[in-house]
Amino acid sequence: MLPKELFQPKSIAVIGASRNQEKVGYGVFANLVKAGFPGSLYGVNPGGGEVLGYPLLTSVEAVPAPIDLGVFVVSPKDILKAFPILAAKGMKAAIAISAGFKEIGGEGILLERDLTAMAKSTGIRVVGPNCLGVIDTHACMNASFSNGTPSKGNIGFISQSGALCTAILDQSIGGDIGFSKVISMGNKADVSESDLLEYLADDPETRVIMGYIESIDDGRRFVRAAKEVTSRKPVILVKAGATASGAKAASSHTGSLAGSDNAYGAAFRQAGIIRAASIEELFDFSIAFSMRPPTSSGKILILTNAGGPGILAADAVERLGINLFEVSEELQAKMAPKTPPTASLNNPIDIIGDARADRYRDVLNILSQEDSIDTILVLLTPQGMTEPDETARATVETLGKTNKAVFASFVGQASVEEARKILMAGGIPSYPVPERAVDAACAMFRYSNVRRADFPEDGGSLGGRPMAAQRALGRILNKGGKGGEEDSRDILEAYGFSFPKNAFATTSKEAVEAFRSMSVPKVVMKIVSPQILHKTDVGGVKLGLASEEDVANAYETMMSTISRLVPDAHIEGVSIQEMIVGGQELILGLTRDPQFGPLLMFGLGGIYVEVLKDVAFRIAPISKRDAREMIREIKYYPLLAGYRGTDPVDEDAVVDALERLSVMSSDFPEILELDINPIRVMPKGKGLRAIDCRVSVAGTEK
Amino acid sequence: MLPKELFQPKSIAVIGASRNQEKVGYGVFANLVKAGFPGSLYGVNPGGGEVLGYPLLTSVEAVPAPIDLGVFVVSPKDILKAFPILAAKGMKAAIAISAGFKEIGGEGILLERDLTAMAKSTGIRVVGPNCLGVIDTHACMNASFSNGTPSKGNIGFISQSGALCTAILDQSIGGDIGFSKVISMGNKADVSESDLLEYLADDPETRVIMGYIESIDDGRRFVRAAKEVTSRKPVILVKAGATASGAKAASSHTGSLAGSDNAYGAAFRQAGIIRAASIEELFDFSIAFSMRPPTSSGKILILTNAGGPGILAADAVERLGINLFEVSEELQAKMAPKTPPTASLNNPIDIIGDARADRYRDVLNILSQEDSIDTILVLLTPQGMTEPDETARATVETLGKTNKAVFASFVGQASVEEARKILMAGGIPSYPVPERAVDAACAMFRYSNVRRADFPEDGGSLGGRPMAAQRALGRILNKGGKGGEEDSRDILEAYGFSFPKNAFATTSKEAVEAFRSMSVPKVVMKIVSPQILHKTDVGGVKLGLASEEDVANAYETMMSTISRLVPDAHIEGVSIQEMIVGGQELILGLTRDPQFGPLLMFGLGGIYVEVLKDVAFRIAPISKRDAREMIREIKYYPLLAGYRGTDPVDEDAVVDALERLSVMSSDFPEILELDINPIRVMPKGKGLRAIDCRVSVAGTEK
């Protein structure tokens, strides 16, 4: 938990306060003074002198105790020297603005380690280093070198980029957006995004949390914290570096598909975070949540004075998969006397080009009384008779105080500028084009689907036989970490996965014998060799062998092909498997994300997985609900659910299997990657049959 | 061809000019006067009097000949009365601003028909009715009731919504965007978007054409015209009503997937039109093309003074599938002396937070001399030492006059407002957030891929045997228009499609006999009944019958199942087909779009088509290149091209097949819908085997 002294200190010492207006140390001190910080404020600078009427103390020792908050704008080494002195004076929290730490590498890394250690050992929480600072508008505290102080508002903003902080504050200072708190996180040596989310969740001045994130260090804590927060307040984040998944060398399909962005995507989804695709969306969404209560109907009513913008808004509604509110005949009858006969009273309601403010007001009055409508988009295009300002006022007066989510888009520039200001000041979020307003409305609906905390602390009720798996893992380790099919299968069987009948053979004769003893109609033969991972590529798979002769021939062909194509491979033998007919091919997988830990994958299997990439990810541990959501997230799902003549598959069995994989991932952190591909899901009630699998194990862990 | 008198008349008569400032007739006349129309200007109003120093004539007859352009702001009936009188005075073009035509229905439809007829019979081209009017900024002609006249510029703008015109002009008047011509098309009684595209293509003042379109009447002419235009100038359109594809009752897969938006999508793609997804994109893209030459490298160089915005821009680059320019070591060496050691000289080039304008200028100077760079994005975030205005000037001075596509995004508001104006005035398109700048750069790259005109006027070299197809079509018509499998197959065979061996049987004995005479390993049995379209649903398909006994049993089971499930169906018998093993299942299809005519579809076949919807569309006639692009457009394409152990399919055979379908669609306009699903494409060189097909024919055409 962060101390409240970070935001509402009674006393602040600025180490490195400066008289030189070019220096950051001046900027920070001046911001504190100009924002009207009501507590005791001390500046420290060896040169002494006076800033804005405050005398500068020449040493840290001279600062009178008690001090709640230390703000540091001196060199890293001077921070480390001053810190213990202020700690002794009762400092509860610190903001390290100075750069020169981890971001410069080398010695900077060591200095940052020292700062972190000091924070841990004293219990004093440190924001930064290498950050813009911290602002609490309601406490009149601006401990940052921002260019001015933003307006008061109810948006809490956290940012991993100081520059972006500046840019966003610039918008606030010039415009219509207000903040409760602004925290530039810098290098996150101590205070992390998770700490801040938890604090802002409890902050009565903060209604919505927006943030810019480049990386998350403790992914699992973040998901846990965010999940708790989003059940109380919307959290909207933009994740930069989203597509730069890097060239991770992965030997499994799951590993190669699970770029870090998929892990963030899964984490955000599981945590109920609304992800903005750009800074513009971050703003657009935050403004909406800041001004209006979240709504859940999924239906929008559009009011317009021109067809074109109405159609564009309706297009956006359809594209986003939400709906137009259906206007009943009764409601149409109420509006009819207030509108000309050529108006269109279906949604979008078009009260046509000559609508003055009074016509808008009449219709908005009627709409404001309709409880079944929770989301309204008011569009205006400036035409001959249009009264933009007065229409803005009518919108605010009729809808501003209601519990409806109301959005406005007055299209144009010169004639609607003032109207937009009236709308924003009246609590109606206003967007330059209709599509952006619809996007924001859709974000609200998405938030209403955010689940309340149901994050299982460890696995579900399904377990496995860890000891049996442990033995197989040991064998894999002995072979260098890459599991062959036999050992991989043993691990999965220990967790309840079932495979076709199976035997191992090292000669043609043994293969024929295996076929005979299985007494199944058809078998598949596959090469067993630690060097051959993609068996199909080298002729290492033969399907549909239906007679002893088939089996013998397949064996000879396979050996001669492989010895030609992969002469260096060590061939252990072949596996003879019962051939499974029917069902649908899926892939289940597990990989490890550096931030979030075990990442489960579900998707369309076989060779399709790499081309169609129709897969879903979740961070383990998962609940049954998570598992079911994963299954239903893929595009192919309708075919699994039973589509025109195909039987529905055994979805419950897939849910169980995903849960079991989740448990396995926590039982065995040394399992780095795992593919079960394909795994065939049979019709409802008939379970799963894993066909092929592969496990990679880390040798150094556990 | 439109007469140039529509835009640069020597003389104009405004019928309905008014002294009453509340009237549209005043607005139009005043705009003509205020914009400084240099030719002869006459206002007509039965009440007489004077407007802005011009005496009003009391009758149309009193207008002195010759008159080039008539502008009408009187009732529809008065337009129809005045039109012939002005025609006799030499009128070359007319603008009908008044409403009261088609859009009000009833009598209005008849009045509009009369207006169209008058235009056709006199050869006088008419814009409107029900429109805002026409503006030519370079000719100082504003024949519209817009609220002011937009700045001169090089964007030609056509709009099917008068209100949207107004909104966009409002932006121009208040802001930085200039137009060459603005045409509000209204009901398009005579002058269409195709006429205007053709005119603007030849207009030396117009560098880029932007438009807002709700519907296109003659789709085929539009594609032909646009294709010609886009080879010379970029055309950017937003299509409203895009997703409202309506509930078209289609019996084929092709028909049900080909909503009108797919037809527009195909048309725009084939015509080389850049489609904007929103009004905001329409603006963003138009500004880019208006200010910078189109570039083609597909590579962007990003220069920034802060990490965050740089990463967000790089994310957008990756998301759009374009690339970051790779900065060579030589280039880095050139920049190094001008930048601090902590700067990052890889792309994004980060010259860090304390960069003043001179550092930007130094680096931009170096970049401006690099011929291998054609696209540069300059980012700026206002920080302590940042000089936004001076940096904007440095950008304009170093890059403004180059042939590079340069984009800027100075993030923030208050501190960067002036800088943005400097950039725009200096010919550098400027965007509030980096992502939108990258989107615009990507649109430029897309334009560079627009093909030069190669639209075949009728089909390719491949043909069919129309007479044989004609006979089968006759049989389908006799059965009510829905083709059974036998007749449909005859049509396709006439156009070179090959099917598996096949026989028809009406008894179990005949079925067994058919199997025997085929001497193939396996056959498929399918029900033949005009009432049963989805055979699988009712047990009407049996696969893999390998013996006479199998065939006999399958027949009995099928008949008993179907008589139970579809007791009313008339059963003609069963088809016995050779079973094709191997290859990949595709769908080829044809449907008719009301605007664009024959629409061809290609995609993943079988039951996947409806779920994955992995299909591509083109308007026939198509070239080989179109066909190949269709094939490569689907997501599944890598699997067709040969993916890890699968053989590449016979792509050339698919290209031929699509061309043959294209020819067929023009030989037989009465074919309304056609599905070949599945059609199996065999490995390279082995051709296609159509498995199932269905043709629907119109009874009333031809």
Side-chain angles (χ1 to χ4, degrees):
Chain A
M1 231 7 235
L2 298 179
K4 75 173 195 318
E5 286 82 359
L6 177 57
F7 299 98
Q8 292 114 30
K10 291 205 177 61
S11 52
I12 304 179
V14 180
I15 317 305
S18 171
R19 286 176 302 167
N20 179 347
Q21 300 200 6
E22 294 282 298
K23 296 259 183 188
V24 171
Y26 172 84
V28 173
F29 199 83
N31 273 343
L32 280 164
V33 174
K34 288 181 190 161
F37 175 65
S40 313
L41 182 60
Y42 306 99
V44 177
N45 192 307
E50 192 188 288
V51 181
L52 299 168
Y54 286 77
L56 290 176
L57 307 172
T58 54
S59 76
V60 181
E61 286 81 357
V63 175
I67 275 295
D68 282 350
L69 174 66
V71 181
F72 297 86
V73 274
V74 289
S75 75
K77 285 185 180 152
D78 285 340
I79 295 180
L80 293 171
K81 256 186 255 165
F83 198 97
I85 303 168
L86 287 174
K89 293 180 192 281
M91 178 168 72
K92 303 281 190 306
I95 302 168
I97 288 177
S98 322
F101 287 89
K102 191 174 69 180
E103 79 284 0
I104 64 162
E107 194 205 12
I109 297 176
L110 300 175
L111 291 166
E112 185 155 327
R113 225 176 266 171
D114 290 346
L115 181 63
T116 306
M118 221 172 253
K120 301 282 180 230
S121 66
T122 57
I124 296 170
R125 303 306 305 267
V126 180
V127 170
N130 186 27
C131 72
L132 187 79
V134 172
I135 303 173
D136 182 327
T137 56
H138 295 273
C140 299
M141 195 215 58
N142 183 348
S144 83
F145 61 100
S146 66
N147 185 13
T149 298
S151 332
K152 277 185 197 176
N154 57 18
I155 301 177
F157 174 41
I158 64 176
S159 174
Q160 202 173 340
S161 157
L164 210 78
C165 250
T166 324
I168 282 174
L169 292 179
D170 201 41
Q171 298 219 345
S172 166
I173 292 156
D176 326 283
I177 178 168
F179 291 96
S180 53
K181 294 183 171 54
V182 176
I183 303 103
S184 167
M185 299 187 291
N187 295 358
K188 302 191 289 186
D190 174 40
V191 170
S192 69
E193 55 287 322
S194 301
D195 294 320
L196 290 164
L197 284 185
E198 284 169 354
Y199 190 88
L200 292 174
D202 286 329
D203 177 28
E205 314 289 3
T206 298
R207 180 159 154 177
V208 46
I209 301 169
M210 74 179 232
Y212 167 88
I213 297 284
E214 289 177 0
S215 64
I216 287 171
D217 298 321
D218 184 348
R220 299 176 68 74
R221 180 177 166 219
F222 174 78
V223 171
R224 219 164 16 230
K227 192 151 193 159
E228 163 60 20
V229 176
T230 58
S231 69
R232 296 156 64 196
K233 291 177 185 179
V235 177
I236 305 155
L237 299 182
V238 73
K239 163 74 179 68
T243 47
S245 57
K248 187 183 168 199
S251 62
S252 71
H253 290 312
T254 310
S256 66
L257 286 174
S260 79
D261 193 51
N262 277 318
Y264 278 99
F268 282 19
R269 209 178 298 109
Q270 283 173 272
I273 289 166
I274 297 161
R275 184 172 187 175
S278 65
I279 321 177
E280 200 157 70
E281 271 195 15
L282 184 65
F283 258 89
D284 284 356
F285 294 179
S286 299
I287 292 170
F289 282 105
S290 146
M291 295 188 178
R292 309 304 311 174
T295 48
S296 59
S297 72
K299 291 179 188 165
I300 299 185
L301 186 125
I302 301 167
L303 176 65
T304 182
N305 69 339
I311 301 174
L312 291 170
D315 282 352
V317 165
E318 197 174 323
R319 195 160 46 227
L320 293 168
I322 49 180
N323 298 295
L324 290 177
F325 177 86
E326 211 166 301
V327 180
S328 67
E329 285 185 19
E330 295 92 296
L331 183 53
Q332 295 196 24
K334 282 185 204 164
M335 293 185 287
K338 307 290 189 184
T339 50
T342 46
S344 162
L345 300 180
N346 284 309
N347 196 357
I349 297 174
D350 184 352
I351 55 174
I352 73 173
D354 61 353
R356 294 184 185 273
D358 56 349
R359 193 183 299 161
Y360 268 99
R361 186 187 299 271
D362 288 341
V363 171
L364 289 172
N365 246 327
I366 295 166
L367 297 177
S368 72
Q369 285 152 35
E370 285 290 320
D371 289 338
S372 54
I373 301 174
D374 72 2
T375 305
I376 300 177
L377 171 57
V378 183
L379 302 178
L380 174 144
T381 312
Q383 300 174 62
M385 328 267 267
T386 314
E387 299 168 338
D389 300 358
E390 199 45 42
T391 304
R393 269 179 225 114
T395 307
V396 169
E397 284 158 22
T398 52
L399 295 172
K401 303 269 184 243
T402 62
N403 64 354
K404 299 187 194 305
V406 187
F407 304 86
S409 179
F410 285 22
V411 189
Q413 189 159 319
S415 351
V416 295
E417 255 173 5
E418 182 58 29
R420 283 187 193 150
K421 287 191 183 132
I422 295 167
L423 288 163
M424 294 289 274
I428 310 281
S430 171
Y431 301 88
V433 289
E435 294 93 338
R436 279 168 60 186
V438 175
D439 272 340
C442 181
M444 284 209 163
F445 295 144
R446 268 155 63 199
Y447 179 64
S448 73
N449 290 325
V450 164
R451 300 171 301 163
R452 302 311 178 239
D454 64 346
F455 196 65
E457 279 314 296
D458 51 5
S461 51
L462 296 166
R465 291 177 290 115
M467 288 313 295
Q470 185 66 62
R471 285 189 294 274
L473 281 169
R475 290 197 299 273
I476 293 176
L477 267 180
N478 287 339
K479 292 171 192 167
K482 295 273 176 214
E485 190 169 344
E486 301 291 312
D487 295 326
S488 300
R489 185 158 52 200
D490 288 347
I491 295 171
L492 285 162
E493 280 179 344
Y495 278 81
F497 286 84
S498 76
F499 285 80
K501 282 185 190 177
N502 181 65
F504 179 70
T506 56
T507 64
S508 173
K509 199 168 156 238
E510 280 179 25
V512 169
E513 179 50 41
F515 170 73
R516 195 181 299 140
S517 67
M518 277 183 192
S519 59
V520 294
K522 283 184 196 171
V523 296
V524 179
M525 181 183 294
K526 294 185 191 174
I527 196 73
V528 177
S529 161
Q531 282 84 34
I532 300 175
L533 287 177
H534 297 300
K535 302 179 178 74
T536 317
D537 294 1
V538 295
V541 177
K542 297 279 172 191
L543 302 173
L545 309 176
S547 66
E548 296 182 12
E549 198 189 348
D550 280 0
V551 172
N553 288 341
Y555 186 89
E556 298 307 332
T557 318
M558 189 179 290
M559 290 305 159
S560 78
T561 311
I562 287 176
S563 67
R564 194 161 37 83
L565 291 178
V566 206
D568 297 337
H570 167 68
I571 307 299
E572 300 183 357
V574 296
S575 82
I576 307 290
Q577 280 180 0
E578 173 191 359
M579 185 164 161
I580 303 293
V581 178
Q584 305 253 21
E585 287 200 342
L586 304 175
I587 182 171
L588 303 185
L590 166 67
T591 185
R592 298 276 166 184
D593 181 79
Q595 273 79 40
F596 295 98
L599 194 61
L600 300 173
M601 186 176 89
F602 164 82
L604 205 53
I607 52 173
Y608 300 85
V609 64
E610 285 176 73
V611 174
L612 298 182
K613 298 185 172 65
D614 191 13
V615 292
F617 291 91
R618 289 293 183 281
I619 292 159
I622 58 166
S623 63
K624 277 197 195 300
R625 178 171 170 168
D626 287 316
R628 210 167 287 278
E629 280 183 1
M630 285 177 84
I631 298 167
R632 299 187 173 194
E633 194 173 302
I634 70 168
K635 278 204 210 139
Y636 187 86
Y637 176 70
L639 282 182
L640 300 180
Y643 185 81
R644 190 179 280 180
T646 64
D647 293 321
V649 303
D650 198 338
E651 194 174 318
D652 291 341
V654 183
V655 169
D656 284 355
L658 284 165
E659 261 196 289
R660 273 190 254 108
L661 269 191
S662 173
V663 173
M664 183 198 291
S665 75
S666 99
D667 288 352
F668 293 102
E670 64 264 52
I671 298 181
L672 292 185
E673 292 190 2
L674 178 156
D675 270 353
I676 317 176
N677 181 35
I679 181 166
R680 218 175 264 269
V681 55
M682 310 306 283
K684 208 175 171 82
K686 302 269 198 289
L688 298 170
R689 307 300 287 276
I691 309 294
D692 204 351
C693 61
R694 199 159 65 231
V695 175
S696 302
V697 181
T700 49
E701 286 181 57
K702 207 167 188 180
Chain B
M1 232 9 232
L2 297 178
K4 76 173 195 318
E5 286 83 359
L6 176 58
F7 299 99
Q8 291 115 29
K10 293 207 175 63
S11 52
I12 303 178
V14 180
I15 316 306
S18 171
R19 286 178 299 167
N20 180 347
Q21 299 200 7
E22 294 281 298
K23 298 262 182 184
V24 171
Y26 173 84
V28 173
F29 199 82
N31 273 342
L32 280 164
V33 174
K34 289 180 189 160
F37 175 64
S40 312
L41 181 59
Y42 307 98
V44 177
N45 192 305
E50 195 188 285
V51 181
L52 299 166
Y54 286 76
L56 290 175
L57 307 171
T58 53
S59 76
V60 182
E61 286 80 358
V63 176
I67 276 295
D68 281 349
L69 174 66
V71 181
F72 296 87
V73 274
V74 289
S75 74
K77 284 184 182 157
D78 285 342
I79 296 180
L80 295 171
K81 256 186 256 167
F83 198 96
I85 302 168
L86 287 173
K89 292 178 193 282
M91 178 168 72
K92 302 282 190 305
I95 301 167
I97 288 177
S98 322
F101 286 89
K102 191 173 70 181
E103 79 283 359
I104 63 161
E107 195 204 12
I109 298 176
L110 301 175
L111 291 166
E112 185 154 329
R113 220 175 270 169
D114 290 347
L115 181 64
T116 306
M118 223 171 253
K120 301 283 180 226
S121 67
T122 58
I124 297 169
R125 302 306 305 268
V126 179
V127 169
N130 185 27
C131 72
L132 187 79
V134 172
I135 303 172
D136 183 327
T137 57
H138 296 272
C140 300
M141 197 218 50
N142 182 347
S144 82
F145 60 100
S146 66
N147 185 13
T149 298
S151 332
K152 277 184 199 181
N154 57 18
I155 301 177
F157 174 42
I158 62 175
S159 173
Q160 201 173 339
S161 157
L164 210 78
C165 249
T166 323
I168 281 173
L169 292 179
D170 201 41
Q171 300 218 345
S172 167
I173 292 158
D176 326 283
I177 178 169
F179 292 95
S180 53
K181 293 182 173 55
V182 177
I183 304 103
S184 166
M185 299 188 289
N187 295 358
K188 304 192 287 188
D190 174 40
V191 170
S192 69
E193 55 286 322
S194 302
D195 294 319
L196 290 164
L197 285 184
E198 284 170 353
Y199 190 88
L200 293 173
D202 287 329
D203 177 29
E205 314 289 2
T206 298
R207 181 159 155 179
V208 46
I209 302 169
M210 74 179 233
Y212 167 87
I213 297 285
E214 290 176 0
S215 65
I216 286 171
D217 297 320
D218 184 347
R220 298 176 70 74
R221 182 180 162 213
F222 173 79
V223 171
R224 219 164 16 230
K227 191 150 196 162
E228 163 61 19
V229 176
T230 59
S231 68
R232 297 155 65 194
K233 292 177 185 180
V235 177
I236 305 154
L237 298 182
V238 71
K239 164 70 178 72
T243 46
S245 58
K248 188 183 167 200
S251 61
S252 72
H253 290 313
T254 310
S256 66
L257 287 173
S260 80
D261 193 51
N262 277 319
Y264 277 100
F268 282 19
R269 207 178 300 109
Q270 282 174 272
I273 289 166
I274 296 161
R275 186 173 184 172
S278 64
I279 320 179
E280 200 157 69
E281 272 195 14
L282 183 66
F283 259 90
D284 284 356
F285 295 179
S286 298
I287 291 169
F289 282 105
S290 146
M291 295 187 177
R292 309 304 310 175
T295 47
S296 59
S297 72
K299 292 179 188 163
I300 299 185
L301 186 124
I302 300 168
L303 175 66
T304 182
N305 68 339
I311 302 174
L312 291 171
D315 282 352
V317 165
E318 198 174 323
R319 195 161 47 227
L320 292 169
I322 50 182
N323 298 295
L324 290 177
F325 177 86
E326 213 166 300
V327 180
S328 67
E329 285 184 21
E330 296 92 297
L331 183 53
Q332 294 195 24
K334 282 185 205 165
M335 292 185 288
K338 307 288 190 186
T339 51
T342 45
S344 163
L345 300 180
N346 284 310
N347 195 359
I349 297 175
D350 184 352
I351 55 174
I352 72 173
D354 61 354
R356 293 184 186 271
D358 57 350
R359 193 182 299 159
Y360 268 98
R361 186 187 300 272
D362 289 341
V363 172
L364 288 171
N365 247 327
I366 294 166
L367 297 177
S368 73
Q369 284 151 34
E370 286 291 318
D371 289 338
S372 55
I373 301 173
D374 70 2
T375 305
I376 300 178
L377 171 57
V378 183
L379 301 178
L380 174 144
T381 312
Q383 300 173 61
M385 327 266 267
T386 314
E387 299 167 339
D389 300 359
E390 198 46 41
T391 305
R393 268 178 225 114
T395 308
V396 169
E397 283 158 24
T398 52
L399 295 171
K401 303 267 184 246
T402 63
N403 64 353
K404 298 187 194 304
V406 186
F407 304 87
S409 180
F410 284 22
V411 189
Q413 189 158 319
S415 348
V416 295
E417 255 174 5
E418 183 57 28
R420 283 186 193 152
K421 287 191 184 134
I422 295 167
L423 289 162
M424 295 288 274
I428 309 282
S430 171
Y431 301 88
V433 289
E435 294 94 338
R436 279 169 59 186
V438 176
D439 271 341
C442 181
M444 283 209 163
F445 294 144
R446 269 155 62 200
Y447 180 63
S448 73
N449 289 324
V450 165
R451 301 171 297 164
R452 302 313 178 237
D454 65 347
F455 196 65
E457 280 313 297
D458 51 6
S461 52
L462 295 166
R465 292 176 291 113
M467 288 312 296
Q470 185 66 63
R471 283 189 294 274
L473 282 169
R475 288 197 300 273
I476 293 176
L477 266 181
N478 287 340
K479 292 171 191 165
K482 296 274 176 214
E485 190 170 345
E486 300 290 311
D487 295 326
S488 300
R489 184 157 56 199
D490 288 347
I491 295 170
L492 286 163
E493 281 180 342
Y495 277 81
F497 287 86
S498 76
F499 286 80
K501 281 185 191 174
N502 181 65
F504 180 70
T506 56
T507 64
S508 172
K509 197 165 157 242
E510 280 180 24
V512 169
E513 178 49 41
F515 170 72
R516 194 182 300 142
S517 67
M518 278 183 191
S519 58
V520 295
K522 285 185 194 170
V523 296
V524 179
M525 181 183 293
K526 294 185 191 172
I527 196 71
V528 177
S529 160
Q531 282 85 33
I532 301 175
L533 289 177
H534 298 301
K535 302 180 178 71
T536 318
D537 295 0
V538 295
V541 178
K542 298 279 171 191
L543 303 173
L545 310 176
S547 66
E548 297 184 11
E549 198 188 347
D550 281 2
V551 171
N553 288 341
Y555 186 89
E556 298 306 332
T557 318
M558 188 178 292
M559 289 304 158
S560 79
T561 312
I562 288 177
S563 66
R564 196 162 34 84
L565 292 178
V566 206
D568 296 338
H570 168 67
I571 309 298
E572 298 183 357
V574 297
S575 80
I576 307 291
Q577 281 180 357
E578 173 191 359
M579 188 164 159
I580 304 293
V581 179
Q584 305 252 22
E585 288 201 340
L586 303 176
I587 182 172
L588 303 185
L590 166 67
T591 186
R592 299 275 165 183
D593 181 78
Q595 273 78 42
F596 296 98
L599 194 61
L600 299 173
M601 185 176 90
F602 165 81
L604 205 55
I607 54 172
Y608 300 85
V609 63
E610 285 176 72
V611 175
L612 298 181
K613 298 185 174 65
D614 191 13
V615 291
F617 291 91
R618 288 295 184 279
I619 292 159
I622 59 166
S623 64
K624 278 197 197 297
R625 176 171 171 171
D626 287 316
R628 212 167 287 278
E629 280 183 2
M630 284 177 85
I631 298 167
R632 298 186 173 195
E633 193 173 302
I634 70 168
K635 278 204 210 143
Y636 187 88
Y637 176 72
L639 283 183
L640 300 180
Y643 186 80
R644 189 178 280 180
T646 63
D647 292 321
V649 304
D650 198 339
E651 194 174 320
D652 292 341
V654 183
V655 169
D656 284 355
L658 284 165
E659 261 196 290
R660 273 190 253 108
L661 270 191
S662 173
V663 173
M664 185 198 290
S665 76
S666 98
D667 288 352
F668 293 103
E670 63 265 50
I671 298 180
L672 293 186
E673 293 190 0
L674 176 156
D675 271 353
I676 317 177
N677 181 35
I679 182 166
R680 219 177 262 270
V681 56
M682 310 307 285
K684 211 177 169 81
K686 301 269 198 285
L688 298 169
R689 307 299 287 275
I691 308 295
D692 203 350
C693 62
R694 200 159 64 233
V695 175
S696 302
V697 181
T700 50
E701 285 180 59
K702 207 170 188 179

